[in-house]
Amino acid sequence: MSTAESEKYVYYFGDGHAEGNAKMKEVLGGKGAGLAEMTNIGVPVPPGFTISTGVCTYFYEHDKSYPPQLQQAVAENLGKVEASVGRKFGDREKPLLVSVRSGARASMPGMMDTILNLGLNDETVQGLARSSGDERFALDSYRRFIQMYSDVVLEIDREHFEHELFALRDRVGAQTDAQIPAESLRELVATYKNIVREKLGKDFPQDVNEQLWGAIGAVFNSWHNQRAITYRKLNQIPDDWGTAVNVQSMVFGNMGDDCATGVAFTRNPSTGEKKFFGEYLPNAQGEDVVAGIRTPLPISKAQVVGDEKSLEEALPDVYEQLVDVYKKLEAHYRDMQDIEFTIQSRKLYLLQTRTGKRTGFAAVKIACDMVDEELITHTEAVERVEAGQIVQLLAPVFDASEKAKTLKGGRLLGRGLPAGPGAATGRIAFSAERAVAMAKEDAVILVRIETSPEDIAGMHSAAGILTTRGGLTSHAAVVARGMGRPCIVGAGHLKVDYSKGELRSEGHEPLEEGDWLSIDGTTGEIIGGKLATRPSEVIQVLIENSMKTEESETFRNFHRLLQWADEIRTLGIRTNADTPNDARVARLFGAAGIGLCRTEHMFFAEERILRVREMILARNEAGRRKALDELLPFQKSDFEGIFRELAGMPVTVRLLDPPLHEFLPQTEAQISSVAREMNWGFIELRNKVNQLHELNPMLGHRGCRLGITYPEIYEMQVRAIFQAACDVKKDGVDVHPEVMIPLVGTVKELQLTADMTRRVAAEVMKEKGVQIDFLVGTMVEIPRAALIADKLGEIAEFFSFGTNDLTQMTFGYSRDDAGTFLPEYVEKKILPKDPFESIDQEGVGQLVKLGTERGRSTNAKLKVGVCGEHGGDPDSIRFFRTCNLNYVSCSPYRVPVARLAAAQAELAAKAYEG
Ligand code: ADP
Ligand code: MG
Ligand code: MG
């Protein structure tokens, strides 16, 4: 017997009591859980019921049909709503109207469609007019309903309706919908019904039950519309979670001037500032604010610019109710909330609450402030900031003096609302498709009148987003914040003309597609042309010393949060750095050593490359040694710089790894110049180069294979490492080199190279009379090495998983060529993610786990780390923590992300282990 028979599918909320609560997001979706919780804590919510996500799952598993008992359950709950409100669904005198709202587990802004005023038909609309005493309002509700229902359920393009609405507004000279008189609305309703008849060949449904089930079906169907699929993919939301459906009695924000609808954040979602913050529209219905059709008004006096009238001033008593409610909600959820409300005849109703999306800036500030307010603990603060978001605090801003100059020079085109902080410069694209295409060449600023869910891909590829319409809670603002894109909205003084492909601002030449534009998402300034950026405050304080700690709250919060993370995490964080400068940056970001110092980059500098070429091309060992002797001082000084920079911290130096051909002269001109320098004939040299050519160099003569066939190369490197270490130590600086052998696949390879390393190290230490504390270890990047890790563990003192090569070789994907098919693989769900970005836990990850276990089985003290790109990826870090690695190593700018992610991984592991 299936559990479907006994499962509860419908949950009621209303009159101070709900069958669900905040913890039931999986069953009720985020919206349903929020409505239930608000009802339970005494916040005014119109009564209704939630059809569970289980029905969505059932729907897709049963050929789009419903569980048999659903019909009955819906009818019963509708009855409860009717009793509560004192109106009946479909009644000619006092009709109950409902909204039908989707609501997935994770909020998906604008992805799923809501229908308002359902239950209206030619008869009930008259009942509504009579019972409310307001015919205009009844007709306004009806025309909205026909349009929404036609769009979402009947799939008639809303353009047809909007076209008529705009034309009507022009005809009657109305600035807003609220000014259209009743008789014109009656005409509009008739026109709307004609459109439906024309497009569909039948009448707009008059049966209210048909309307209700049509809407419910449309919500479930919309789970698989293209916009929802795209959003889920970008945000990694599983397809099989499903959506719930909320059916809720209507309250009306469009019944007159003491009515309104709005959205608000309990704190500022862009900056995190602790100020109630929001927007509303008088005499309107919810979708009007969200859709950005009219630019809404500010909620509080403090937000007012110019002569707008805030809610605080227009309806002070209601504003006070709202303040009470938001404080109650924030204290209850102990997090910043994003709320949606409607005011009907001076009475406030909450329609939604959820954890507010925020920028990285706001996330860090809110977490720190809430710790100071004793609302949350350090641990909760660490859990609340998405690790990847913290890089926003490192993103560039415009150079203040450069910007001042452009402003003086008259390049300021206008201002809009700062919706996503950060500076962006790019070429103008007027459509999402163009943005995607142009972003392949240059940075792009997507410029739109407003954005809609169809634009997501374009927004994703843009460096910044500018809209001329809509408020801080419009689609563009919400999505840009989620993506961390600099964004300005509601720049009403600028005019976008799609047909001419122009952006106009009075007193300026119009800009066209491809022209440069700069936007400051922190201040809202829009500037013509390209504008230089400068480092963020965090960089200025930490790296450049050009700003003081006291001057930057952003830096102080960044620093505090990461310190709390450090108290939690057990996983060490190192960096991949090849130069003293990179090492310094990483150290300042909190890296505790170098996990990968590549030596090959050091060979490319001008004075060195020739000697490297001489070494490779030498006719015999003597020639090779001579060139190596000349290279040694260079290498030694490189290592000295790094050792001094990382005083006392471990530094893993990888011996030469890439195929030799990377160093060879390629062009005829290069060959002839090297030939001259080396006193060789051109032909002779070219033959030698050809002879060294490899078909698959990445699988060819590289890594320890070079160290074994040309032992003098590795010997020179080891000598340089230890000479540098001894000299630095003599100066009183503590040094801990860790020599790492790359590309080991057999025991003997490691044995030979490790023996040589230890022998040369001993020789140098004896010559210098200095004792160095060092380790010898191996990369584990060939699958075979992971499989024989127990034997390698007997020789190596540490392992470092080179997960880039390990991924390449385990999958058999060439990293340089995988771009041709990997995107399609991810698209077709052959792979959940690009395995070069996030570790493939099922396969490659198992080699990491097994290699670690086997290595430690013979060497309990074995130190194990990761040095691939995955070391800076939060999901991969979570996985590596479960493998009990000692550290991850990542590029310097990812170090803060890794610190935070490692703390979160620790908390997750602890929660899992109980
Ligand atoms: P979204 O998921 O796109 O935010 P919602 O289901 O929250 O869609 O609906 C959008 C808006 O419609 C709400 O913010 C609210 O203003 C309005 N709305 C929804 N249901 C009702 C209702 N029962 N009464 C009044 N307004 C409603
Ligand atoms: Mg919507
Ligand atoms: Mg909503």
Side-chain angles (χ1 to χ4, degrees):
M1 193 192 95
S2 81
T3 54
E5 305 299 320
S6 54
E7 202 174 324
K8 182 172 170 64
Y9 283 123
V10 184
Y11 294 76
Y12 182 75
F13 56 88
D15 312 312
H17 181 73
E19 293 179 324
N21 62 51
K23 295 200 184 80
M24 296 171 64
K25 273 194 187 174
E26 288 182 20
V27 180
L28 304 178
K31 200 177 285 167
L35 290 168
E37 188 80 2
M38 287 195 291
T39 303
N40 283 330
I41 64 170
V43 167
V45 172
F49 54 90
T50 304
I51 301 173
S52 76
T53 56
V55 175
C56 189
T57 309
Y58 185 104
F59 185 75
Y60 282 107
E61 280 174 0
H62 293 81
D63 209 12
K64 300 200 173 181
S65 68
Y66 299 114
Q69 71 272 41
L70 186 68
Q71 189 110 20
Q72 177 67 19
V74 166
E76 277 169 25
N77 280 276
L78 197 58
K80 284 199 213 176
V81 177
E82 290 175 333
S84 168
V85 180
R87 290 175 163 269
K88 275 198 156 358
F89 192 53
D91 191 80
R92 304 167 130 212
E93 286 313 314
K94 286 182 77 183
L96 168 72
L97 304 192
V98 296
S99 62
V100 176
R101 318 171 62 189
S102 62
R105 243 191 265 188
S107 79
M108 294 171 53
M111 288 296 113
M112 317 288 285
D113 298 296
T114 288
I115 297 169
L116 304 179
N117 310 329
L118 188 140
L120 281 176
N121 58 29
D122 294 348
E123 284 185 341
T124 57
V125 71
Q126 291 172 28
L128 183 67
R130 279 193 299 274
S131 62
S132 65
D134 186 345
E135 189 190 16
R136 204 209 83 88
F137 148 72
L139 289 163
D140 184 54
S141 304
Y142 196 22
R143 64 98 187 161
R144 287 168 187 271
F145 171 55
I146 296 175
Q147 176 173 341
M148 276 184 259
Y149 194 90
S150 300
D151 175 19
V152 177
V153 184
L154 307 177
E155 295 181 349
I156 302 172
D157 203 330
R158 63 167 183 258
E159 303 262 313
H160 300 297
F161 300 96
E162 263 161 21
H163 178 77
E164 293 298 332
L165 176 63
F166 292 152
L168 177 67
R169 253 196 244 158
D170 282 350
R171 243 187 351 263
V172 302
Q175 298 290 328
T176 69
D177 298 347
Q179 293 167 357
I180 305 174
E183 55 272 25
S184 307
L185 287 172
R186 190 172 312 112
E187 271 171 45
L188 189 65
V189 165
T191 312
Y192 277 11
K193 289 199 296 188
N194 284 336
I195 295 176
V196 174
R197 193 174 308 121
E198 197 178 294
K199 297 286 164 198
L200 217 62
K202 25 177 216 211
D203 285 331
F204 185 81
Q206 294 288 313
D207 178 342
V208 294
N209 279 304
E210 181 188 341
Q211 293 175 356
L212 179 63
W213 286 96
I216 293 172
V219 173
F220 287 136
N221 276 306
S222 73
W223 181 252
H224 276 302
N225 74 29
Q226 197 48 50
R227 308 176 333 199
I229 291 170
T230 306
Y231 186 87
R232 285 201 292 274
K233 201 162 68 198
L234 287 173
N235 292 277
Q236 282 147 26
I237 296 171
D239 280 340
D240 58 10
W241 275 8
T243 180
V245 181
N246 300 287
V247 178
Q248 188 175 22
S249 54
M250 285 300 301
V251 287
F252 300 99
N254 57 333
M255 257 171 84
D257 289 335
D258 58 353
C259 302
T261 177
V263 291
F265 291 88
T266 60
R267 303 189 186 210
N268 187 309
S270 296
T271 64
E273 200 184 4
K274 194 189 174 191
K275 273 196 186 143
F276 187 43
F277 174 92
E279 291 159 341
Y280 83 108
L281 279 175
N283 201 3
Q285 272 198 321
E287 285 295 304
D288 297 356
V289 185
V290 188
I293 291 164
R294 281 158 64 185
T295 298
L297 301 173
I299 282 199
S300 67
K301 250 191 277 189
Q303 281 173 248
V304 171
V305 268
D307 53 6
E308 308 161 320
K309 190 150 188 193
S310 67
L311 181 68
E312 190 173 358
E313 293 156 299
L315 297 169
D317 49 326
V318 186
Y319 180 75
E320 248 167 66
Q321 291 172 42
L322 186 60
V323 167
D324 286 346
V325 165
Y326 101 72
K327 287 190 172 157
K328 186 169 188 171
L329 285 172
E330 199 182 81
H332 182 75
Y333 281 98
R334 298 185 310 120
D335 201 351
M336 187 261 270
Q337 296 296 294
D338 167 353
I339 61 178
E340 299 179 5
F341 64 88
T342 287
I343 298 162
Q344 176 178 329
S345 312
R346 287 182 186 263
K347 170 135 180 49
L348 174 72
Y349 295 91
L350 268 282
L351 274 316
Q352 190 166 344
T353 189
R354 61 186 159 196
T355 304
K357 280 201 193 301
R358 60 203 79 182
T359 64
F361 285 89
V364 172
K365 179 166 164 55
I366 290 171
C368 291
D369 284 353
M370 287 193 168
V371 165
D372 294 339
E373 292 161 29
E374 296 182 358
L375 217 53
I376 61 173
T377 62
H378 291 181
T379 304
E380 284 171 311
V382 165
E383 276 174 318
R384 286 212 181 152
V385 179
E386 238 176 81
Q389 271 196 326
I390 203 160
V391 291
Q392 284 177 30
L393 276 66
L394 311 178
V397 294
F398 287 128
D399 181 288
S401 67
E402 279 295 304
K403 194 165 94 177
K405 260 188 254 162
T406 59
L407 299 187
K408 270 213 193 103
R411 274 166 60 193
L412 181 69
L413 302 180
R415 280 170 207 276
L417 302 169
T425 283
R427 292 183 186 275
I428 295 176
F430 288 112
S431 72
E433 300 82 75
R434 291 297 299 145
V436 171
M438 289 165 61
K440 298 196 173 106
E441 304 287 321
D442 259 321
V444 169
I445 305 286
L446 177 64
V447 178
R448 303 278 303 160
I449 296 174
E450 62 194 308
T451 63
S452 72
E454 285 88 342
D455 296 329
I456 286 204
M459 298 172 79
H460 198 71
S461 54
I465 297 155
L466 169 66
T467 70
T468 54
R469 219 189 260 168
L472 283 169
T473 48
S474 64
H475 178 265
V478 171
V479 173
R481 269 201 295 278
M483 290 177 176
R485 292 289 178 288
C487 175
I488 296 177
V489 297
H493 298 298
L494 301 190
K495 294 280 169 274
V496 173
D497 186 334
Y498 292 136
S499 59
K500 289 202 183 126
E502 280 181 1
L503 174 66
R504 283 195 304 270
S505 165
E506 229 179 275
H508 296 268
E509 283 290 301
L511 297 178
E512 294 171 4
E513 179 182 289
D515 286 346
W516 287 90
L517 185 70
S518 301
I519 62 171
D520 188 332
T522 313
T523 61
E525 290 154 313
I526 302 148
I527 297 157
K530 231 176 172 168
L531 188 51
T533 54
R534 61 174 298 160
S536 72
E537 287 186 10
V538 171
I539 305 287
Q540 292 190 49
V541 175
L542 201 58
I543 313 289
E544 301 193 334
N545 288 322
S546 53
M547 199 174 192
K548 295 201 187 72
T549 302
E550 310 85 82
E551 291 169 338
S552 173
E553 191 199 353
T554 304
F555 170 75
R556 289 196 305 276
N557 284 336
F558 170 85
H559 188 62
R560 284 206 295 164
L561 186 76
L562 290 178
Q563 278 182 328
W564 299 331
D566 291 347
E567 284 163 19
I568 294 167
R569 68 183 165 91
T570 54
L571 199 59
I573 310 294
R574 295 196 191 180
T575 192
N576 300 348
D578 309 334
T579 65
N581 188 51
D582 281 0
R584 174 175 168 271
V585 170
R587 181 174 58 73
L588 293 170
F589 276 142
I594 290 186
L596 175 63
C597 173
R598 306 176 194 85
T599 48
E600 51 272 15
H601 296 244
M602 301 170 178
F603 286 179
F604 282 102
E606 213 174 325
E607 340 75 273
R608 307 178 186 188
I609 185 72
L610 180 72
R611 295 193 174 82
V612 176
R613 286 170 175 165
E614 282 174 2
M615 165 189 83
I616 297 169
L617 298 166
R619 290 191 180 87
N620 51 38
E621 190 185 321
R624 205 152 42 237
R625 282 203 184 272
K626 183 171 160 293
L628 283 166
D629 285 346
E630 289 171 28
L631 274 173
L632 187 136
F634 289 118
Q635 284 256 280
K636 183 180 166 237
S637 78
D638 293 329
F639 296 135
E640 272 191 46
I642 290 174
F643 290 152
R644 283 185 205 281
E645 187 56 55
L646 285 182
M649 294 179 180
V651 176
T652 305
V653 180
R654 179 177 72 184
L655 301 183
L656 197 64
D657 180 56
L660 284 181
H661 89 110
E662 287 192 10
F663 300 107
L664 290 177
Q666 307 291 343
T667 63
E668 301 247 310
Q670 284 171 347
I671 293 177
S672 88
S673 118
V674 174
R676 238 186 345 268
E677 296 266 1
M678 288 178 61
N679 246 332
W680 282 35
F682 173 80
I683 305 278
E684 188 190 8
L685 186 64
R686 200 181 53 191
N687 287 344
K688 177 83 183 185
V689 169
N690 287 340
Q691 189 193 324
L692 286 171
H693 176 77
E694 292 179 297
L695 283 180
N696 286 309
M698 293 313 283
L699 297 174
H701 200 175
R702 58 174 284 219
C704 66
R705 299 160 201 168
L706 280 174
I708 285 167
T709 50
Y710 300 121
E712 52 283 1
I713 299 179
Y714 273 17
E715 269 184 52
M716 180 279 284
Q717 291 197 292
V718 174
R719 200 167 291 280
I721 293 169
F722 283 91
Q723 287 186 358
C726 290
D727 287 359
V728 169
K729 187 146 187 203
K730 275 190 196 161
D731 291 346
V733 179
D734 197 14
V735 208
H736 299 280
E738 301 183 344
V739 179
M740 180 156 78
I741 316 294
L743 228 67
V744 165
T746 69
V747 177
K748 204 73 190 185
E749 284 170 327
L750 180 59
Q751 190 72 63
L752 284 170
T753 46
D755 285 352
M756 178 281 294
T757 303
R758 291 180 176 128
R759 172 176 57 78
V760 174
E763 280 169 22
V764 176
M765 291 191 294
K766 194 159 168 227
E767 280 160 26
K768 297 264 180 188
V770 177
Q771 214 33 57
I772 301 288
D773 174 27
F774 72 97
L775 302 178
V776 180
T778 181
M779 296 273 282
V780 179
E781 53 190 331
I782 291 182
R784 191 176 194 279
L787 297 171
I788 58 162
D790 47 344
K791 302 201 178 76
L792 299 178
E794 289 174 352
I795 305 166
E797 290 159 291
F798 70 89
F799 285 175
S800 179
F801 286 92
T803 49
N804 299 341
D805 262 319
L806 192 60
T807 299
Q808 169 160 277
M809 295 198 228
T810 303
F811 275 104
Y813 296 161
S814 152
R815 194 150 60 114
D816 305 314
D817 303 312
T820 53
F821 59 87
L822 270 186
E824 197 171 327
Y825 266 40
V826 175
E827 186 99 359
K828 294 191 167 145
K829 301 200 180 105
I830 293 167
L831 292 171
K833 281 185 192 177
D834 179 340
F836 291 105
E837 274 170 29
S838 194
I839 191 88
D840 156 47
Q841 301 186 6
E842 183 181 30
V844 181
Q846 293 310 304
L847 285 173
V848 173
K849 195 161 187 289
L850 171 143
T852 305
E853 285 163 4
R854 289 197 179 167
R856 290 206 177 121
S857 73
T858 54
N859 179 356
K861 288 195 302 194
L862 192 75
K863 231 197 228 186
V864 185
V866 159
C867 63
E869 293 302 311
H870 305 93
D873 170 62
D875 287 340
S876 307
I877 290 173
R878 198 163 307 132
F879 175 76
F880 295 140
R881 167 60 186 77
T882 67
C883 301
N884 292 314
L885 301 197
N886 298 92
Y887 67 87
V888 294
S889 187
C890 58
S891 61
Y893 275 75
R894 294 299 289 185
V895 168
V897 176
R899 283 165 75 190
L900 193 53
Q904 291 170 350
E906 190 64 31
L907 295 170
K910 290 243 171 70
Y912 180 75
E913 288 156 10

